[in-house]
Coordinates of all heavy atoms in Angstrom, one line a residue:
M1 N 110.2 114.7 64.4 CA 109.7 113.4 64.1 C 110.5 112.2 64.9 O 109.9 111.4 65.4 CB 109.7 113.1 62.6 CG 109.0 112.0 62.2 SD 107.1 112.0 62.7 CE 106.7 110.3 62.5
R2 N 111.7 112.5 64.8 CA 112.6 111.4 65.3 C 112.4 111.4 66.8 O 112.3 110.2 67.5 CB 114.1 111.8 65.0 CG 114.9 110.5 65.3 CD 116.3 110.7 64.8 NE 116.5 110.3 63.4 CZ 117.6 110.7 62.6 NH1 118.4 111.6 63.2 NH2 117.7 110.4 61.4
S3 N 112.3 112.6 67.5 CA 112.1 112.5 69.0 C 110.7 112.0 69.3 O 110.6 111.4 70.3 CB 112.3 113.9 69.5 OG 111.3 114.8 68.9
F4 N 109.7 112.2 68.4 CA 108.5 111.6 68.6 C 108.5 110.0 68.7 O 108.1 109.4 69.6 CB 107.5 112.1 67.6 CG 106.1 111.5 67.7 CD1 105.4 111.8 68.8 CD2 105.7 110.7 66.7 CE1 104.1 111.3 68.9 CE2 104.3 110.1 66.9 CZ 103.6 110.4 68.0
I5 N 109.3 109.6 67.7 CA 109.5 108.1 67.8 C 110.2 107.6 69.0 O 109.9 106.6 69.5 CB 110.2 107.6 66.4 CG1 109.2 108.0 65.3 CG2 110.6 106.2 66.4 CD1 109.8 107.7 63.9
G6 N 111.2 108.4 69.3 CA 112.0 108.1 70.5 C 111.0 108.0 71.8 O 111.0 107.1 72.5
V7 N 110.2 109.0 71.9 CA 109.3 109.0 73.0 C 108.4 107.9 73.0 O 108.0 107.1 74.0 CB 108.5 110.3 73.0 CG1 107.3 110.2 74.1 CG2 109.4 111.5 73.3
L8 N 107.8 107.6 71.7 CA 106.9 106.4 71.7 C 107.6 105.0 72.1 O 107.0 104.2 72.7 CB 106.7 106.2 70.0 CG 105.2 106.8 69.7 CD1 105.0 106.4 68.3 CD2 104.1 106.4 70.6
S9 N 108.9 105.0 71.6 CA 109.5 103.6 72.1 C 109.8 103.5 73.4 O 109.7 102.5 74.2 CB 110.8 103.3 71.2 OG 111.6 104.6 71.2
V10 N 110.0 104.7 74.1 CA 110.2 104.6 75.7 C 108.9 104.3 76.3 O 108.9 103.5 77.2 CB 110.7 106.1 76.1 CG1 110.6 106.1 77.6 CG2 112.2 106.3 75.6
V11 N 107.8 104.8 75.7 CA 106.4 104.6 76.3 C 106.2 103.0 76.1 O 105.8 102.4 77.0 CB 105.4 105.4 75.7 CG1 104.1 104.9 76.1 CG2 105.6 106.9 76.1
A12 N 106.5 102.6 74.9 CA 106.2 101.1 74.7 C 107.1 100.2 75.6 O 106.5 99.3 76.1 CB 106.6 100.9 73.2
L13 N 108.3 100.6 75.7 CA 109.3 99.9 76.5 C 108.7 99.8 78.0 O 108.8 98.7 78.7 CB 110.6 100.4 76.4 CG 111.7 99.5 77.1 CD1 111.9 98.2 76.5 CD2 113.1 100.3 77.2
S14 N 108.4 100.9 78.5 CA 108.0 100.9 79.9 C 106.7 100.1 80.1 O 106.5 99.5 81.1 CB 107.9 102.3 80.5 OG 107.8 103.3 79.5
A15 N 105.8 100.2 79.1 CA 104.6 99.4 79.1 C 105.0 97.9 79.3 O 104.4 97.2 80.0 CB 103.7 99.7 77.9
V16 N 106.0 97.4 78.4 CA 106.4 96.1 78.4 C 107.0 95.7 79.8 O 106.7 94.8 80.4 CB 107.5 95.8 77.4 CG1 108.1 94.5 77.6 CG2 106.8 95.9 76.0
L17 N 107.8 96.6 80.3 CA 108.5 96.4 81.6 C 107.4 96.3 82.7 O 107.5 95.5 83.6 CB 109.5 97.4 81.9 CG 110.8 97.3 81.0 CD1 111.7 98.5 81.4 CD2 111.5 96.1 81.1
A18 N 106.6 97.3 82.7 CA 105.5 97.3 83.8 C 104.6 96.0 83.7 O 104.3 95.5 84.7 CB 104.5 98.5 83.5
A19 N 104.4 95.5 82.5 CA 103.6 94.2 82.3 C 104.3 93.1 83.0 O 103.7 92.2 83.6 CB 103.2 94.1 80.9
A20 N 105.6 93.0 82.8 CA 106.4 92.0 83.3 C 106.4 92.1 84.7 O 106.2 90.9 85.4 CB 107.8 92.0 82.7
A21 N 106.5 93.2 85.3 CA 106.6 93.3 86.8 C 105.3 93.0 87.5 O 105.2 92.6 88.5 CB 107.1 94.7 87.1
D22 N 104.2 93.3 86.7 CA 102.9 93.2 87.3 C 102.2 91.8 87.1 O 101.2 91.7 87.6 CB 101.9 94.2 86.5 CG 102.1 95.7 87.1 OD1 102.7 95.8 88.3 OD2 101.8 96.7 86.4
H23 N 102.9 90.9 86.6 CA 102.3 89.6 86.6 C 101.9 89.1 87.9 O 102.7 89.1 88.7 CB 103.4 88.5 85.9 CG 102.7 87.3 85.4 ND1 102.1 86.4 86.3 CD2 102.5 86.8 84.3 CE1 101.6 85.4 85.6 NE2 101.9 85.6 84.2
P24 N 100.6 88.8 88.0 CA 100.2 88.5 89.4 C 100.9 87.3 89.9 O 101.2 87.1 91.2 CB 98.8 88.2 89.2 CG 98.6 88.0 87.8 CD 99.5 88.7 87.0
G25 N 101.3 86.4 89.1 CA 102.1 85.3 89.5 C 103.5 85.5 90.0 O 104.0 84.8 90.9
K26 N 104.1 86.7 89.5 CA 105.4 87.0 89.8 C 105.4 87.5 91.3 O 106.4 87.2 92.0 CB 106.0 88.1 88.9 CG 107.4 88.5 89.3 CD 107.9 89.5 88.3 CE 109.4 89.7 88.4 NZ 109.8 90.1 89.8
V27 N 104.3 88.3 91.7 CA 104.3 88.6 93.1 C 104.3 87.5 94.1 O 105.2 87.5 94.9 CB 103.0 89.5 93.2 CG1 102.9 89.9 94.7 CG2 102.9 90.6 92.3
S28 N 103.6 86.4 93.8 CA 103.6 85.3 94.6 C 104.8 84.5 94.5 O 105.5 84.0 95.5 CB 102.4 84.2 94.2 OG 101.2 84.9 94.4
F29 N 105.5 84.5 93.3 CA 106.8 83.7 93.0 C 107.9 84.4 93.8 O 108.6 83.7 94.5 CB 107.1 83.7 91.5 CG 108.2 82.8 91.2 CD1 108.0 81.5 90.9 CD2 109.5 83.3 91.2 CE1 109.1 80.6 90.6 CE2 110.7 82.5 90.9 CZ 110.4 81.1 90.6
D30 N 107.9 85.8 93.8 CA 109.0 86.4 94.5 C 108.8 86.1 96.0 O 109.8 86.0 96.7 CB 108.9 88.0 94.2 CG 109.3 88.2 92.8 OD1 110.0 87.4 92.2 OD2 109.3 89.5 92.5
K31 N 107.7 86.1 96.5 CA 107.4 85.9 97.9 C 107.6 84.4 98.4 O 108.2 84.2 99.4 CB 105.9 86.3 98.2 CG 105.5 86.2 99.7 CD 104.1 87.1 99.8 CE 103.5 86.7 101.0 NZ 102.6 85.6 100.9
S32 N 107.1 83.4 97.5 CA 107.1 82.1 98.0 C 108.0 81.1 97.4 O 108.2 80.1 97.9 CB 105.6 81.5 97.9 OG 104.7 82.5 98.4
C33 N 108.6 81.5 96.3 CA 109.4 80.6 95.5 C 110.8 81.0 95.3 O 111.6 80.1 95.1 CB 108.7 80.3 94.1 SG 106.9 80.3 94.3
K34 N 111.1 82.1 95.2 CA 112.3 82.8 94.6 C 113.4 82.3 95.5 O 114.5 82.0 94.9 CB 112.2 84.3 94.7 CG 113.2 84.8 93.7 CD 113.0 86.3 93.5 CE 113.8 87.2 94.5 NZ 113.6 88.6 94.2
A35 N 113.3 82.2 96.8 CA 114.4 81.8 97.6 C 115.0 80.4 97.2 O 116.2 80.2 97.3 CB 113.9 81.8 99.2
C36 N 114.2 79.5 96.8 CA 114.6 78.2 96.4 C 114.7 78.1 94.9 O 115.7 77.5 94.5 CB 113.6 77.1 96.9 SG 113.4 77.0 98.7
H37 N 114.0 78.7 94.2 CA 114.1 78.5 92.7 C 114.9 79.7 92.0 O 115.0 79.5 90.7 CB 112.7 78.3 92.0 CG 112.1 77.1 92.4 ND1 112.3 76.0 91.7 CD2 111.1 76.7 93.4 CE1 111.7 74.9 92.2 NE2 111.0 75.3 93.3
A38 N 115.2 80.7 92.6 CA 115.9 81.9 92.0 C 114.9 82.6 91.1 O 113.9 82.1 90.7 CB 117.1 81.4 91.2
A39 N 115.2 83.9 91.0 CA 114.3 84.9 90.3 C 113.9 84.3 88.9 O 112.7 84.4 88.4 CB 114.9 86.2 90.2
D40 N 114.9 83.7 88.2 CA 114.6 83.2 86.8 C 114.1 81.8 86.7 O 114.0 81.2 85.7 CB 115.8 83.4 85.9 CG 117.1 82.6 86.4 OD1 116.9 82.0 87.5 OD2 118.0 82.6 85.8
G41 N 114.0 81.1 88.1 CA 113.4 79.8 88.0 C 114.5 78.6 87.8 O 114.3 77.4 88.0
A42 N 115.8 79.2 87.7 CA 116.9 78.2 87.4 C 117.2 77.4 88.6 O 117.9 76.3 88.5 CB 118.1 79.0 87.0
G43 N 116.9 77.7 89.8 CA 117.1 77.0 91.1 C 118.3 77.7 91.7 O 119.3 78.1 91.2
N44 N 118.3 77.7 93.0 CA 119.3 78.3 94.0 C 120.3 77.1 94.3 O 119.8 76.2 95.0 CB 118.6 78.8 95.1 CG 119.6 79.2 96.2 OD1 120.7 78.9 96.2 ND2 119.0 80.0 97.2
P45 N 121.5 77.1 93.8 CA 122.4 76.0 94.0 C 122.6 75.7 95.5 O 122.8 74.5 95.7 CB 123.6 76.6 93.3 CG 123.3 77.7 92.6 CD 122.0 78.3 93.1
G46 N 122.7 76.7 96.3 CA 122.8 76.4 97.7 C 121.7 75.6 98.3 O 121.9 74.7 99.1
M47 N 120.5 75.9 97.8 CA 119.3 75.2 98.3 C 119.4 73.8 97.8 O 119.0 72.8 98.5 CB 118.1 76.0 97.8 CG 116.7 75.3 98.4 SD 116.7 75.5 100.2 CE 116.7 77.3 100.4
A48 N 119.7 73.7 96.6 CA 119.9 72.3 95.9 C 120.8 71.4 96.7 O 120.5 70.1 97.0 CB 120.1 72.4 94.5
K49 N 121.9 72.1 97.1 CA 122.9 71.3 97.8 C 122.5 70.9 99.2 O 122.6 69.8 99.6 CB 124.2 72.3 97.9 CG 125.5 71.5 98.2 CD 126.7 72.3 97.9 CE 127.8 71.5 98.4 NZ 129.0 72.5 99.0
M50 N 121.9 71.8 99.8 CA 121.4 71.6 101.2 C 120.3 70.5 101.2 O 120.3 69.6 102.0 CB 120.7 72.9 101.8 CG 120.7 73.0 103.2 SD 120.3 74.6 103.7 CE 118.4 74.4 103.7
L51 N 119.5 70.5 100.1 CA 118.4 69.4 100.0 C 118.8 68.2 99.3 O 118.2 67.2 99.2 CB 117.1 69.9 99.4 CG 116.5 71.1 100.1 CD1 115.3 71.7 99.1 CD2 115.8 70.7 101.3
K52 N 120.2 68.3 98.9 CA 120.7 67.1 98.2 C 119.8 66.6 97.0 O 119.5 65.4 97.0 CB 121.0 65.9 99.1 CG 122.0 66.2 100.3 CD 122.3 64.9 100.9 CE 123.5 65.1 102.0 NZ 123.1 66.0 103.1
V53 N 119.6 67.6 96.3 CA 118.7 67.3 95.1 C 119.1 68.1 93.9 O 119.7 69.2 94.1 CB 117.1 67.6 95.4 CG1 116.9 69.1 95.6 CG2 116.2 67.0 94.4
T54 N 118.9 67.6 92.8 CA 119.2 68.4 91.6 C 117.9 69.1 91.2 O 116.8 68.4 90.9 CB 119.5 67.4 90.4 OG1 120.5 66.6 90.7 CG2 120.0 68.3 89.2
M55 N 118.0 70.4 91.2 CA 116.7 71.2 90.9 C 116.8 71.6 89.4 O 117.8 72.1 88.9 CB 116.7 72.5 91.6 CG 116.4 72.3 93.1 SD 116.4 73.7 94.2 CE 114.8 74.5 93.6
R56 N 115.7 71.1 88.7 CA 115.6 71.5 87.3 C 115.2 72.9 87.1 O 114.3 73.4 88.0 CB 114.6 70.5 86.6 CG 115.2 69.1 86.5 CD 114.4 68.2 85.7 NE 113.0 68.0 86.3 CZ 112.2 67.0 85.8 NH1 112.5 66.3 84.8 NH2 111.1 66.9 86.3
S57 N 115.7 73.6 86.1 CA 115.1 74.9 86.0 C 113.7 74.8 85.5 O 113.3 74.0 84.8 CB 116.0 75.5 84.8 OG 115.3 76.6 84.2
L58 N 112.8 75.8 86.0 CA 111.5 75.7 85.9 C 111.2 76.2 84.4 O 110.1 75.8 83.9 CB 110.7 76.7 86.8 CG 110.9 76.3 88.3 CD1 110.1 77.4 89.2 CD2 110.2 75.0 88.5
G59 N 112.1 76.8 83.7 CA 112.0 77.1 82.4 C 112.3 75.9 81.4 O 112.1 76.1 80.1
S60 N 113.0 75.0 81.9 CA 113.5 73.9 81.1 C 112.4 73.1 80.3 O 111.3 73.0 80.9 CB 114.3 72.9 81.9 OG 113.5 72.2 82.8
A61 N 112.8 72.4 79.3 CA 111.7 71.6 78.6 C 111.1 70.6 79.4 O 110.0 70.3 79.5 CB 112.3 71.1 77.3
E62 N 111.9 69.9 80.4 CA 111.5 68.9 81.2 C 110.4 69.3 82.1 O 109.3 68.6 82.3 CB 112.6 68.2 82.1 CG 113.7 67.6 81.4 CD 114.8 68.5 81.1 OE1 114.6 69.6 80.7 OE2 116.0 68.1 81.4
V63 N 110.5 70.5 82.6 CA 109.6 71.0 83.6 C 108.4 71.5 82.7 O 107.2 71.3 83.1 CB 110.0 72.1 84.5 CG1 108.9 72.7 85.3 CG2 111.1 71.5 85.3
Q64 N 108.6 72.2 81.6 CA 107.6 72.9 80.9 C 106.6 71.8 80.2 O 105.5 72.1 79.9 CB 108.1 73.8 79.7 CG 108.8 75.0 80.4 CD 107.8 76.0 80.8 OE1 106.6 76.1 80.4 NE2 108.1 76.8 81.8
K65 N 107.1 70.6 80.0 CA 106.2 69.6 79.3 C 105.1 69.2 80.2 O 104.2 68.6 79.8 CB 107.1 68.4 78.8 CG 107.6 67.4 79.8 CD 108.2 66.4 79.0 CE 108.6 65.1 79.9 NZ 109.9 65.0 80.3
A66 N 105.2 69.4 81.6 CA 104.3 69.0 82.6 C 102.9 69.8 82.3 O 103.0 71.0 81.8 CB 104.7 69.3 84.0
S67 N 101.8 69.2 82.5 CA 100.6 69.9 82.3 C 100.3 71.0 83.4 O 101.0 71.0 84.5 CB 99.4 68.9 82.4 OG 99.3 68.5 83.6
D68 N 99.5 71.9 83.1 CA 99.1 72.9 84.1 C 98.7 72.3 85.5 O 99.1 72.8 86.5 CB 98.1 73.9 83.6 CG 98.6 74.9 82.6 OD1 99.8 74.9 82.2 OD2 97.7 75.7 82.0
A69 N 97.9 71.2 85.3 CA 97.4 70.5 86.5 C 98.6 69.9 87.3 O 98.5 70.0 88.5 CB 96.4 69.5 86.1
D70 N 99.6 69.4 86.6 CA 100.6 68.8 87.3 C 101.5 69.8 88.0 O 102.0 69.6 89.1 CB 101.6 68.1 86.2 CG 101.1 66.8 85.8 OD1 100.0 66.2 86.5 OD2 101.4 66.2 84.8
L71 N 101.7 71.0 87.3 CA 102.4 72.1 88.0 C 101.8 72.5 89.3 O 102.4 72.8 90.2 CB 102.7 73.2 86.9 CG 103.7 73.0 85.8 CD1 103.7 74.1 84.8 CD2 105.1 72.6 86.3
K72 N 100.5 72.7 89.1 CA 99.7 73.2 90.2 C 99.8 72.2 91.4 O 99.9 72.6 92.5 CB 98.2 73.4 89.7 CG 97.5 74.1 90.8 CD 96.1 74.5 90.3 CE 95.2 75.0 91.4 NZ 93.8 75.4 90.9
K73 N 99.7 71.0 91.0 CA 99.8 70.0 92.1 C 101.2 70.0 92.8 O 101.2 69.8 94.0 CB 99.5 68.5 91.4 CG 99.2 67.5 92.4 CD 98.5 66.3 91.6 CE 98.2 65.1 92.6 NZ 99.3 64.4 93.2
A74 N 102.2 70.2 91.9 CA 103.5 70.2 92.6 C 103.7 71.4 93.6 O 104.2 71.2 94.7 CB 104.6 70.5 91.5
I75 N 103.0 72.5 93.3 CA 102.9 73.6 94.2 C 102.2 73.4 95.4 O 102.6 73.7 96.5 CB 102.4 74.9 93.4 CG1 103.3 75.2 92.3 CG2 102.4 76.1 94.3 CD1 102.8 76.3 91.2
T76 N 100.9 72.8 95.3 CA 100.0 72.7 96.3 C 100.2 71.5 97.1 O 99.9 71.4 98.3 CB 98.5 72.9 95.9 OG1 98.4 71.9 95.0 CG2 98.2 74.1 95.4
D77 N 100.8 70.4 96.5 CA 101.0 69.1 97.2 C 102.4 68.7 97.5 O 102.7 67.9 98.1 CB 100.3 68.0 96.4 CG 98.8 68.1 96.2 OD1 98.2 69.1 96.6 OD2 98.2 67.1 95.6
G78 N 103.4 69.5 96.8 CA 104.6 69.3 96.9 C 105.1 68.2 95.9 O 104.3 67.6 95.3
T79 N 106.4 68.2 95.8 CA 106.9 67.2 94.7 C 108.3 66.8 95.2 O 109.1 67.7 95.5 CB 107.0 67.7 93.2 OG1 107.5 66.8 92.4 CG2 107.6 69.0 93.1
G80 N 108.6 65.5 95.2 CA 109.9 65.1 95.6 C 110.3 65.8 97.0 O 109.6 65.6 97.9
K81 N 111.4 66.4 97.0 CA 112.0 67.1 98.1 C 111.3 68.5 98.5 O 111.7 69.0 99.5 CB 113.5 67.3 98.1 CG 114.3 66.0 98.0 CD 115.1 65.8 99.3 CE 115.7 64.5 99.3 NZ 117.2 64.4 98.8
M82 N 110.4 68.8 97.6 CA 109.8 70.2 97.8 C 108.5 70.0 98.6 O 107.7 69.1 98.2 CB 109.5 70.9 96.4 CG 108.7 72.1 96.7 SD 108.3 73.0 95.1 CE 106.8 73.7 95.4
K83 N 108.5 70.7 99.7 CA 107.2 70.6 100.6 C 106.1 71.3 99.9 O 106.4 72.3 99.1 CB 107.6 71.1 101.9 CG 108.6 70.4 102.7 CD 108.2 70.6 104.3 CE 109.3 69.8 105.0 NZ 110.7 70.4 104.8
P84 N 104.9 71.0 100.2 CA 103.8 71.8 99.7 C 103.9 73.2 100.1 O 104.4 73.5 101.2 CB 102.5 71.2 100.4 CG 102.9 69.9 100.9 CD 104.4 69.9 101.1
V85 N 103.6 74.2 99.2 CA 103.6 75.6 99.6 C 102.3 75.9 100.2 O 101.3 75.9 99.5 CB 103.9 76.5 98.4 CG1 104.0 77.9 98.8 CG2 105.2 76.1 97.8
A86 N 102.4 76.3 101.5 CA 101.1 76.6 102.2 C 100.6 78.0 101.9 O 101.5 78.9 101.6 CB 101.3 76.3 103.7
G87 N 99.4 78.2 102.3 CA 98.8 79.5 102.3 C 98.6 80.2 101.0 O 98.3 81.4 100.8
L88 N 98.5 79.5 99.8 CA 98.2 80.0 98.5 C 96.7 79.7 98.2 O 96.2 78.6 98.5 CB 99.0 79.3 97.5 CG 100.4 79.4 97.5 CD1 101.2 78.5 96.5 CD2 100.8 80.9 97.2
T89 N 96.0 80.6 97.7 CA 94.7 80.4 97.2 C 94.7 79.7 95.9 O 95.8 79.6 95.2 CB 93.9 81.7 97.0 OG1 94.6 82.5 95.9 CG2 93.9 82.7 98.2
G90 N 93.7 79.1 95.4 CA 93.5 78.5 94.1 C 93.9 79.4 92.9 O 94.7 79.1 92.1
K91 N 93.5 80.7 93.1 CA 93.8 81.7 92.1 C 95.3 81.9 92.0 O 95.9 82.1 91.0 CB 93.0 83.0 92.4 CG 93.6 84.2 91.7 CD 92.8 84.5 90.4 CE 93.1 85.9 90.0 NZ 94.4 86.3 89.5
Q92 N 96.0 82.1 93.3 CA 97.4 82.3 93.4 C 98.1 81.1 92.7 O 99.2 81.3 92.0 CB 97.8 82.5 94.8 CG 97.4 83.9 95.3 CD 97.7 84.0 96.8 OE1 97.6 83.1 97.6 NE2 98.2 85.3 97.1
A93 N 97.8 79.9 92.9 CA 98.4 78.7 92.4 C 98.3 78.8 90.9 O 99.3 78.5 90.2 CB 97.8 77.5 93.0
D94 N 97.2 79.2 90.4 CA 96.9 79.3 88.8 C 97.8 80.3 88.4 O 98.5 80.2 87.3 CB 95.4 79.6 88.5 CG 94.5 78.4 88.8 OD1 94.9 77.3 88.8 OD2 93.3 78.7 89.0
D95 N 98.0 81.5 89.0 CA 98.7 82.5 88.6 C 100.1 82.2 88.6 O 101.0 82.5 87.7 CB 98.6 83.8 89.4 CG 97.2 84.5 89.3 OD1 96.6 84.2 88.3 OD2 97.0 85.3 90.1
L96 N 100.7 81.3 89.5 CA 102.0 80.8 89.5 C 102.2 80.0 88.4 O 103.4 79.9 87.8 CB 102.3 80.1 90.9 CG 102.6 81.1 92.1 CD1 102.4 80.2 93.4 CD2 103.9 81.6 92.0
V97 N 101.2 79.0 88.1 CA 101.5 78.1 86.9 C 101.6 79.0 85.7 O 102.6 78.8 84.9 CB 100.2 77.2 86.7 CG1 100.4 76.5 85.5 CG2 100.2 76.2 87.9
A98 N 100.8 80.1 85.5 CA 101.0 80.9 84.4 C 102.3 81.6 84.4 O 102.9 81.8 83.3 CB 99.8 82.0 84.4
Y99 N 102.7 81.9 85.6 CA 104.1 82.7 85.6 C 105.2 81.6 85.2 O 106.2 82.1 84.4 CB 104.2 83.3 86.9 CG 105.6 84.1 87.1 CD1 105.8 85.1 86.3 CD2 106.7 83.6 87.7 CE1 107.0 85.9 86.3 CE2 108.0 84.3 87.9 CZ 108.0 85.3 87.0 OH 109.2 86.1 87.0
I100 N 105.1 80.5 85.7 CA 106.1 79.4 85.2 C 106.2 79.3 83.8 O 107.2 79.2 83.3 CB 105.8 78.2 86.0 CG1 106.1 78.2 87.5 CG2 106.7 77.0 85.4 CD1 105.7 77.0 88.2
R101 N 105.0 79.4 83.1 CA 105.0 79.4 81.7 C 105.8 80.5 81.1 O 106.3 80.3 79.9 CB 103.6 79.4 81.1 CG 102.8 78.2 81.6 CD 103.2 76.9 81.0 NE 102.4 75.7 81.4 CZ 102.9 74.5 81.4 NH1 104.1 74.2 81.1 NH2 102.1 73.6 81.8
T102 N 105.8 81.6 81.7 CA 106.6 82.8 81.2 C 108.1 82.5 81.2 O 108.9 83.3 80.6 CB 106.2 84.1 81.7 OG1 106.7 84.2 83.2 CG2 104.7 84.3 81.9
L103 N 108.5 81.6 82.0 CA 110.0 81.3 82.3 C 110.5 80.4 81.2 O 111.7 80.2 81.2 CB 110.2 80.8 83.7 CG 109.6 81.5 84.8 CD1 109.9 80.8 86.2 CD2 110.5 83.0 85.0
K104 N 109.7 80.0 80.4 CA 110.1 79.0 79.4 C 111.2 79.6 78.5 O 111.2 80.7 78.1 CB 109.0 78.7 78.4 CG 109.2 77.6 77.4 CD 107.8 77.3 76.7 CE 108.1 76.2 75.7 NZ 107.0 75.8 75.1
K105 N 112.2 78.7 78.3 CA 113.5 79.1 77.6 C 113.1 79.2 76.1 O 112.5 78.4 75.6 CB 114.6 78.2 77.9 CG 115.0 78.2 79.3 CD 116.2 79.3 79.5 CE 116.0 80.0 80.8 NZ 115.9 79.3 82.0
Ligands
HEC1 C1 112.1 75.4 100.2 C2 112.5 75.4 98.9 C3 111.4 75.5 97.9 C4 110.3 76.4 97.8 C5 110.0 77.6 98.8 C6 109.6 76.1 96.6 N1 110.3 75.1 96.0 FE1 109.6 74.3 94.2 N2 111.1 72.8 94.3 C7 112.0 72.8 95.4 C8 112.9 71.6 95.2 C9 114.1 71.2 96.0 C10 112.4 70.9 94.0 C11 112.9 69.6 93.3 C12 112.2 68.5 94.1 C13 112.7 67.1 93.7 O1 112.9 66.9 92.5 O2 112.9 66.3 94.6 C14 111.2 71.8 93.5 C15 110.4 71.4 92.5 C16 109.5 72.3 91.9 C17 108.7 72.0 90.8 C18 108.8 70.7 89.9 C19 110.0 70.8 89.0 C20 110.4 69.6 88.3 O3 111.5 69.2 88.3 O4 109.6 68.9 87.7 C21 107.8 73.0 90.5 C22 106.8 73.1 89.3 C23 108.1 73.9 91.5 N3 109.1 73.4 92.4 C24 107.5 75.1 91.7 C25 107.6 75.9 92.9 C26 106.7 77.0 93.2 C27 105.8 77.7 92.2 C28 107.1 77.5 94.3 C29 106.4 78.7 95.1 C30 105.0 78.7 95.2 C31 108.0 76.7 94.9 N4 108.3 75.6 94.0 C32 108.6 76.8 96.1 C33 112.2 73.7 96.4 C34 111.3 74.7 96.8

């Protein structure tokens, strides 16, 4: 019985991990955003220094209080020192917004 439960929890855990890895927004994030924003959205200090800007963590309350439309606009139109991210479909931008929501602290 115990080993059965053990197997079950391994299955459940891998399902959770696979779900996290498969977030469609994560694929785009890793490709188009991670270099500047870091994997967890906290921001790459080297990039912030180079651009002479304070990068807020994407999971922070300040960023999370923005509406989905505002976040999408930041991605497609740029914001402050961040240039618009080119080559994204509307669906990819929506997925990215959904992914940013998962970074909430
Ligand atoms: C070349 C580096 C770079 C890339 C690539 C980049 N960003 Fe940014 N991003 C920045 C910087 C720098 C800021 C802060 C801009 C400012 O405040 O002047 C920022 C700000 C933001 C903000 C607003 C945060 C706030 O403080 O309100 C969002 C949302 C965001 N980025 C999302 C993304 C997403 C999603 C991607 C990928 C599709 C992405 N960024 C790609 C550099 C980058």
Side-chain angles (χ1 to χ4, degrees):
M1 188 61 192
R2 199 172 267 157
S3 63
F4 177 66
I5 293 174
V7 168
L8 263 191
S9 43
V10 168
V11 169
L13 184 66
S14 20
V16 167
L17 291 177
D22 281 339
H23 193 294
K26 185 178 190 301
V27 178
S28 303
F29 190 87
D30 286 353
K31 183 163 161 272
S32 312
C33 324
K34 199 168 98 177
C36 296
H37 285 282
D40 60 355
N44 171 347
M47 189 59 68
K49 199 168 173 210
M50 206 170 86
L51 294 172
K52 297 193 175 62
V53 67
T54 309
M55 286 177 77
R56 292 191 288 194
S57 165
L58 296 179
S60 68
E62 295 96 311
V63 176
Q64 290 289 330
K65 75 172 192 262
S67 69
D68 286 0
D70 286 343
L71 289 177
K72 188 172 175 181
K73 195 161 181 292
I75 297 168
T76 56
D77 298 7
T79 175
K81 293 250 173 93
M82 178 180 143
K83 293 206 181 67
V85 178
L88 294 172
T89 63
K91 161 96 167 62
Q92 282 172 326
D94 287 337
D95 288 344
L96 281 163
V97 171
Y99 184 65
I100 290 173
R101 295 299 182 202
T102 71
L103 300 175
K104 187 171 178 179
K105 293 274 139 50

